[in-house]
Amino acid sequence: MKKAWLGFILGCTLSLQAHAGDRIMVQFTQLAAQHQLNPTLLTLLTEQKQAKGIAVYELSDDLSEHQKLALIQQLRLNPDVNWVERDQIVKGPQFIPNDSLIDFQIPWQSLIKLDQAWLQGIDCSPVVVSIIDSGLDLEHPDLVENIWLNEGEAPNSSVDMDSNGYIGDRHGWNPVSQNGSVADLFGHGTHVAGLIGAVGNNALGVAGSCWNVKLLPVKFLDRFGNGSISNAVQAIYYVMDIKKQFPAFKFIINNSWGAGASSAIDLAVSDATQAGIFVVNAAGNSGMDINLNLVYPAQTASKNLASLTIANADTTKDLDNLPLHSRSNYGDQVVSFAAPGTNILSTWPTALTTSSEQGYQFQDGTSMAAPIVSGIAAMLWSANPTLTPQGLRANLEATVQRIDSLKPKLKAPGLVDANQALNSVHYPFVALSHLQVEEGNYYIVGHKLDLVQSFMLNHQPLDITQVNSTRVSLGRLDQLRCGWLEAAAPNNNPGLYLDWSPAPPQIQTLTRSLDDEYVLSWQADEAVDRVEIVVTQADGSQYSLAQPTATQTATLNLLEGESVRIRGFSLCVDRHGQEVERASDFSATKSVGDIITPTWITLALGQVELGLPFQFKLQTQDADVLTLQSLGAGCQNDEVTLDQDGILQGIKSSPEDCNLSILAESSLSQLGRVQNLKLSGIESEQLWRTFVSTEADDRFLQNLTFKASTPLSMQLLKKQSRYGLFWQTDERLFEVELRALNRFSIVDLIWPESGESVAGLVNNGEYARFIVEAGSAGFDYQQDYQLDLLVNSASPEGVSSYSDTRCFIASHVYGDTKSDEVRLLRKVRDWMQNQWPGSSVLVNFYYKKSPVWVEWAKNNPTLSKPITGVVKIWLDSFVWLADWFEWETSSYNQPPLI
């Protein structure tokens, strides 16, 4: 058995003499003789002050154990030496409980001085530790005495007997099933509970950190160890409600779980600590620096002095050079210190273990380190109920066993020391939390700051203005990039350090283009070298985008229900002299969902005659503010203005294109929508004049005049209640856009008598195109051609894309509305309607029936699969024909759409 094997190893180890390194103490008959010994074998430790001629020597590492013993014997024969004694380790009084499996725990419990702390016999029953996890084995014999009992609820109650808003929460709560069912089907929660408060000295199993603390399980993880942030947040708020119901108890929350960045978790932990609850978090097991890679709720400890995050120390290794476990997360801005978390035995649900395991299992991870500290915190709070949660953290951080190898990784580099923390529980320890920036002024936030004797900023003394015990003003630090702050305070050894980063970037605007791309702009401090954009998707998952800070803008593809926030990174030198990258806090969040976004009606400006005034009325929907953001090179010398009524006017003095960027915003919106318009300057004989007038609900397009230097193609296109009139000639494209046309008709079509023309009107109710094509024979290229078109409109509606992107069945078959196959099939459709107007009846029937079939196919993928395959073969033949006939360069070439 594993237990017997470990017991054998322990027995062999404890039978050896325990020496304090390789030191010897020598008393000489005369002090001068101490300098006569061989300096290659013995090093005199001059800093050791001993009485009556005693000197302390360090034995050379090159000596074997046999040689060391021979050297000691030789010294004893020296006439100048009274005696020689080998230095030994002295252990204080210990209490080893009689729990049957304690031999598996004592190695790490003695390292953190739990065995010494137990001598004080602290009663932890006034403290409740809530285990937000996978539940608890309520019948486990090593836990049952300490499980929380709400006497206001009857066993297995299906009603809320104590009227606290939670049904049946006699021993805890399950936010997933909304009842008191907390049975542990995964095992993790029971293991955590045993490390906090398994009954000690009961001749059974293991001993927790505090033997009679109250254990309150809140179950949100299922049998596979999975849960949701929303249920975890419910669990935290449940503990707050129970604290209100039972104010006589102190409450601690143990979070041995982790998730990605979450504002919901951050807020819940903040609310819990403000309510007087102390929160202990596991750092996580990804082996990464969580200064930069956010893990919640661990990250809450970076700014919240009542929240503590713990790493996993591999206590199977040498204490003098103790490492963290290779999978333990770390970060000296987030993770305070370490506790044992490697090869840890604790309770396990009896139903999930074999008869040989008897309800106990070994586990590794920061999930084990955190509850050990939660139990120690319960002991401290019981010994001094006047402590605040902030005071608890300050005590635990100040009393750790310092380990130099952990300095770059932990805020208080070392291993928790239960005995030292308990002996110092009445000391007013100082703690530093973070640096806060308000209107350019910097403040140190912490605990008991009024006890600080001096502050050093990057090795330079600071003149400070005391505000109160939790905040100290540093004034304006304009040159501050990042670095560290050191505080000299009593009872803190060797001192307090605070690393910080620059202020977070501030999001200025989030705007949307006509292509439904979002443009994010921000303002960052000069100290920021790069920024990270984090997008939270509708399902709560996240992804990150790195962005050079110099750009100050980024184009994003966001969807409904998504949100975005950013943070900055700076390079600086930390307190250990190492160059590190520090991350700022996140900016405020900008959300996409449920926000009114202005829509542009005006999509193009066209061309104006050089030297003459121009005026355009810009139109949008849901916008009450239009702002001229930028002008391109072709407008810099022009007097271009945009008034509050949307009138854009000026004089075009250069033939260069002028690109105008206009932002439409709504007073009801957090988003704006940018439209980039192009204004070209032309000579008078090239001018295309467009006159649009309105009478009641009738709108006229009159005198659409152009030079027919090439054959002309014109179309009127409707998509989702939008119409656009497009024409192309001489490789130039111009557009006039109308809103919500219900019907239209040709009023007059004027062609020169010598010209050949074909005019046709296609209108199937959903899709309408008016096409005029001019033949080349007898065509008068110098004559103006005029088209008058009357349209009747009612109830103007919204605007979206002009492209007719339908073809429902083809899009379903090929899986993408923008695939090459679907594009070619649309060209076949358009060519058919152009050549045979009667085909519109067939097309209209297709658009009426095809969505129904596609919906059925999506809901019945198995049944529809054979039919989809046959349809694909049929459509493939059309695609092949379309490609073979090269529809791209055929006589019918649809004008490009803006």
Side-chain angles (χ1 to χ4, degrees):
M1 290 178 61
K2 189 171 184 179
K3 174 187 173 185
W5 175 79
L6 182 58
F8 173 76
I9 296 295
L10 284 173
C12 292
T13 302
L14 296 176
S15 67
L16 297 176
Q17 182 68 49
H19 299 293
D22 287 311
R23 294 181 180 180
I24 59 172
M25 295 177 290
V26 183
Q27 187 184 48
F28 293 91
T29 57
Q30 53 183 351
L31 286 177
Q34 68 180 3
H35 300 291
Q36 299 174 7
L37 301 184
N38 189 338
T40 62
L41 301 179
L42 296 166
T43 302
L44 179 64
L45 302 180
T46 56
E47 73 277 9
Q48 299 285 337
K49 296 180 179 179
Q50 304 289 340
K52 297 184 182 300
I54 299 174
V56 179
Y57 291 90
E58 191 84 37
L59 298 176
S60 171
D61 292 337
D62 295 332
L63 296 174
S64 66
E65 182 64 24
H66 178 75
Q67 291 171 322
K68 292 174 184 177
L69 294 174
L71 178 60
I72 292 172
Q73 183 62 27
Q74 183 181 0
L75 287 171
R76 286 173 177 162
L77 298 175
N78 190 319
D80 294 325
V81 173
N82 286 333
W83 51 262
V84 179
E85 180 179 317
R86 198 162 185 179
D87 205 358
Q88 299 181 38
I89 293 174
V90 178
K91 290 188 175 182
Q94 295 173 278
F95 179 74
I96 300 179
N98 64 5
D99 299 80
S100 59
L101 300 177
I102 198 66
D103 286 351
F104 295 100
Q105 295 185 291
I106 282 297
W108 63 261
Q109 288 175 341
S110 61
L111 280 180
I112 62 173
K113 314 293 178 59
L114 262 176
D115 50 359
Q116 297 178 38
W118 287 334
L119 286 169
Q120 299 191 35
I122 302 300
D123 177 12
C124 296
S125 58
V127 179
V128 179
V129 180
S130 177
I131 303 149
I132 298 179
D133 214 288
S134 62
L136 193 63
D137 181 358
L138 297 179
E139 298 180 357
H140 198 291
D142 222 358
L143 300 173
V144 66
E145 292 182 20
N146 289 342
I147 294 174
W148 167 259
L149 175 62
N150 176 8
E151 295 181 348
E153 293 283 357
N156 304 314
S157 174
S158 59
V159 296
D160 184 10
M161 298 185 66
D162 61 354
S163 301
N164 68 350
Y166 300 94
I167 297 174
D169 63 327
R170 181 173 174 83
H171 294 297
W173 178 246
N174 185 330
V176 181
S177 59
Q178 294 290 300
N179 57 33
S181 175
V182 295
D184 188 0
L185 305 178
F186 181 54
H188 191 268
T190 300
H191 198 275
V192 166
L195 294 171
I196 297 169
V199 178
N201 207 37
N202 62 346
L204 177 67
V206 296
S209 293
C210 208
W211 296 348
N212 58 347
V213 67
K214 303 300 181 186
L215 303 173
L216 171 62
V218 189
K219 176 180 177 177
F220 84 105
L221 300 179
D222 61 20
R223 66 177 64 244
F224 306 106
N226 299 320
S228 69
I229 287 177
S230 60
N231 285 326
V233 168
Q234 282 193 60
I236 294 172
Y237 282 102
Y238 168 75
V239 180
M240 283 187 263
D241 288 342
I242 291 300
K243 183 180 185 299
K244 293 177 184 177
Q245 187 178 356
F246 297 92
F249 289 91
K250 301 288 187 179
F251 279 80
I252 297 172
I253 288 177
N254 186 91
N255 292 319
S256 287
W257 50 273
S262 170
S263 298
I265 293 176
D266 198 31
L267 177 61
V269 171
S270 176
D271 287 346
T273 56
Q274 288 183 33
I277 298 172
F278 187 54
V279 179
V280 180
N281 313 296
N285 306 307
S286 301
M288 63 185 181
D289 183 350
I290 58 175
N291 286 343
L292 305 177
N293 303 283
L294 301 187
V295 175
Y296 278 74
Q299 194 69 31
T300 61
S302 65
K303 295 291 186 295
N304 189 333
L305 270 175
S307 177
L308 188 66
T309 296
I310 309 300
N312 169 11
D314 189 351
T315 49
T316 62
K317 302 296 194 301
D318 180 22
L319 179 62
D320 292 334
N321 193 31
L322 185 73
L324 297 183
H325 192 281
S326 61
R327 292 194 300 272
S328 175
N329 289 344
Y330 57 91
D332 61 358
Q333 291 179 299
V334 180
V335 185
S336 285
F337 52 84
T342 305
N343 201 34
I344 304 296
L345 181 69
S346 184
T347 49
W348 200 258
T350 53
L352 301 181
T353 55
T354 64
S355 57
S356 62
E357 292 170 329
Q358 300 175 344
Y360 300 89
Q361 271 196 16
F362 286 87
Q363 293 283 297
D364 291 339
T366 58
S367 287
M368 286 61 255
I372 290 171
V373 175
S374 292
I376 294 172
M379 186 188 302
L380 301 182
W381 223 347
S382 300
N384 183 5
T386 65
L387 273 178
T388 63
Q390 293 80 3
L392 265 179
R393 172 170 165 173
N395 175 292
L396 288 164
E397 286 186 340
T399 57
V400 298
Q401 305 171 62
R402 298 277 170 163
I403 299 172
D404 289 342
S405 60
L406 299 180
K407 281 183 178 179
K409 294 191 172 184
L410 303 177
K411 185 173 184 179
L415 189 67
V416 65
D417 189 325
N419 192 52
Q420 180 65 20
L422 186 59
N423 289 334
S424 307
V425 75
H426 295 285
Y427 291 171
F429 287 108
V430 175
L432 303 180
S433 176
H434 61 281
L435 216 61
Q436 190 176 63
V437 185
E438 293 180 4
E439 298 180 351
N441 291 306
Y442 284 78
Y443 298 88
I444 304 168
V445 179
H447 175 69
K448 298 289 185 182
L449 297 182
D450 51 326
L451 300 179
V452 175
Q453 297 162 341
S454 64
F455 286 101
M456 300 280 286
L457 177 63
N458 290 340
H459 297 309
Q460 299 299 318
L462 283 175
D463 294 327
I464 62 174
T465 302
Q466 179 65 46
V467 177
N468 53 47
S469 66
T470 61
R471 205 166 79 149
V472 171
S473 173
L474 300 180
R476 302 187 70 86
L477 300 172
D478 295 331
Q479 302 302 315
L480 183 63
R481 182 180 178 87
C482 60
W484 67 97
L485 178 114
E486 182 178 0
N491 302 322
N492 290 84
N493 183 30
L496 299 175
Y497 293 91
L498 173 65
D499 288 285
W500 76 88
S501 304
Q506 299 300 312
I507 293 178
Q508 292 183 312
T509 59
L510 180 62
T511 58
R512 189 165 68 186
S513 71
L514 288 175
D515 296 327
D516 286 330
E517 290 182 324
Y518 288 80
V519 179
L520 179 72
S521 67
W522 64 85
Q523 182 67 43
D525 190 276
E526 291 182 0
V528 174
D529 299 308
R530 68 179 181 91
V531 299
E532 179 188 48
I533 302 170
V534 176
V535 177
T536 302
Q537 298 173 293
D539 62 359
S541 60
Q542 297 181 326
Y543 64 90
S544 300
L545 302 168
Q547 189 78 13
T549 187
T551 62
Q552 302 285 299
T553 61
T555 301
L556 310 172
N557 292 314
L558 301 177
L559 300 175
E560 190 74 15
E562 295 185 341
S563 61
V564 61
R565 54 183 180 162
I566 59 176
R567 60 175 173 165
F569 293 82
S570 291
L571 285 176
C572 65
V573 178
D574 68 8
R575 67 179 185 261
H576 313 297
Q578 302 296 316
E579 187 176 78
V580 296
E581 187 177 49
R582 291 301 191 200
S584 75
D585 288 341
F586 273 108
S587 67
T589 299
K590 288 287 187 180
S591 301
V592 174
D594 302 324
I595 297 176
I596 298 173
T597 306
T599 301
W600 276 94
I601 306 301
T602 302
L603 300 179
L605 292 179
Q607 297 172 307
V608 296
E609 189 170 355
L610 296 180
L612 295 180
F614 65 83
Q615 178 174 295
F616 292 95
K617 169 68 173 178
L618 303 182
Q619 293 183 300
T620 65
Q621 283 186 319
D622 302 318
D624 44 34
V625 179
L626 294 180
T627 306
L628 180 60
Q629 287 197 309
S630 64
L631 293 171
C635 289
Q636 287 184 355
N637 298 323
D638 305 313
E639 297 179 0
V640 179
T641 61
L642 177 65
D643 65 20
Q644 60 183 2
D645 296 322
I647 302 298
L648 183 76
Q649 57 188 344
I651 299 176
K652 191 81 178 75
S653 58
S654 169
E656 288 186 75
D657 289 343
C658 170
N659 296 307
L660 301 93
S661 176
I662 312 292
L663 171 64
E665 297 176 289
S666 168
S667 58
L668 302 176
S669 172
Q670 297 180 26
L671 295 177
R673 195 167 189 178
V674 171
Q675 173 64 26
N676 295 311
L677 303 175
K678 184 172 73 174
L679 181 64
S680 299
I682 61 172
E683 302 297 335
S684 58
E685 62 269 16
Q686 298 176 300
L687 183 62
W688 298 357
R689 291 189 176 89
T690 303
F691 303 95
V692 180
S693 61
T694 301
E695 290 184 17
D697 286 333
D698 290 337
R699 302 186 181 192
F700 293 84
L701 287 181
Q702 296 176 321
N703 300 323
L704 305 184
T705 305
F706 47 84
K707 296 291 184 182
S709 57
T710 62
L712 169 71
S713 176
M714 178 184 294
Q715 65 176 339
L716 178 66
L717 190 63
K718 174 185 178 183
K719 173 64 176 173
Q720 296 181 356
S721 301
R722 290 178 54 194
Y723 288 82
L725 181 66
F726 301 86
W727 65 92
Q728 186 175 26
T729 181
D730 194 19
E731 298 183 349
R732 293 193 300 268
L733 177 69
F734 190 66
E735 166 193 352
V736 174
E737 186 274 332
L738 299 97
R739 299 174 57 192
L741 304 179
N742 293 334
R743 60 184 180 273
F744 52 87
S745 61
I746 302 172
V747 175
D748 193 12
L749 180 62
I750 304 172
W751 297 99
E753 293 181 0
S754 60
E756 295 180 2
S757 64
V758 177
L761 178 64
V762 178
N763 179 14
N764 60 19
E766 289 293 325
Y767 180 78
R769 181 188 295 114
F770 177 73
I771 301 170
V772 177
E773 291 190 20
S776 59
F779 201 87
D780 185 355
Y781 292 100
Q782 300 303 314
Q783 172 130 7
D784 287 351
Y785 295 87
Q786 179 175 302
L787 168 66
D788 288 355
L789 183 67
L790 169 66
V791 296
N792 182 273
S793 173
S795 63
E797 298 177 13
V799 178
S800 59
S801 170
Y802 282 104
S803 301
D804 189 353
T805 58
R806 292 175 297 174
C807 283
F808 301 105
I809 293 177
S811 298
H812 173 69
V813 169
Y814 293 107
D816 185 0
T817 60
K818 298 180 180 179
S819 68
D820 290 340
E821 294 87 354
V822 175
R823 179 179 54 81
L824 285 170
L825 287 170
R826 290 197 189 104
K827 287 190 174 293
V828 174
R829 172 201 64 193
D830 295 339
W831 178 83
M832 288 173 59
Q833 292 187 90
N834 179 52
Q835 298 297 319
W836 305 300
S839 64
S840 297
V841 177
L842 177 62
V843 173
N844 193 33
F845 177 82
Y846 164 78
Y847 283 138
K848 184 176 181 180
K849 298 298 183 182
S850 59
V852 178
W853 183 86
V854 171
E855 186 68 21
W856 174 83
K858 289 181 178 179
N859 294 330
N860 300 275
T862 303
L863 293 175
S864 65
K865 187 174 182 180
I867 303 175
T868 303
V870 173
V871 172
K872 185 176 185 300
I873 294 173
W874 182 63
L875 291 177
D876 283 344
S877 63
F878 277 93
V879 171
W880 180 84
L881 284 171
D883 189 50
W884 188 74
F885 279 114
E886 296 182 345
W887 294 98
E888 295 278 3
T889 57
S890 65
S891 60
Y892 173 69
N893 187 6
Q894 180 175 332
L897 304 182
I898 294 177

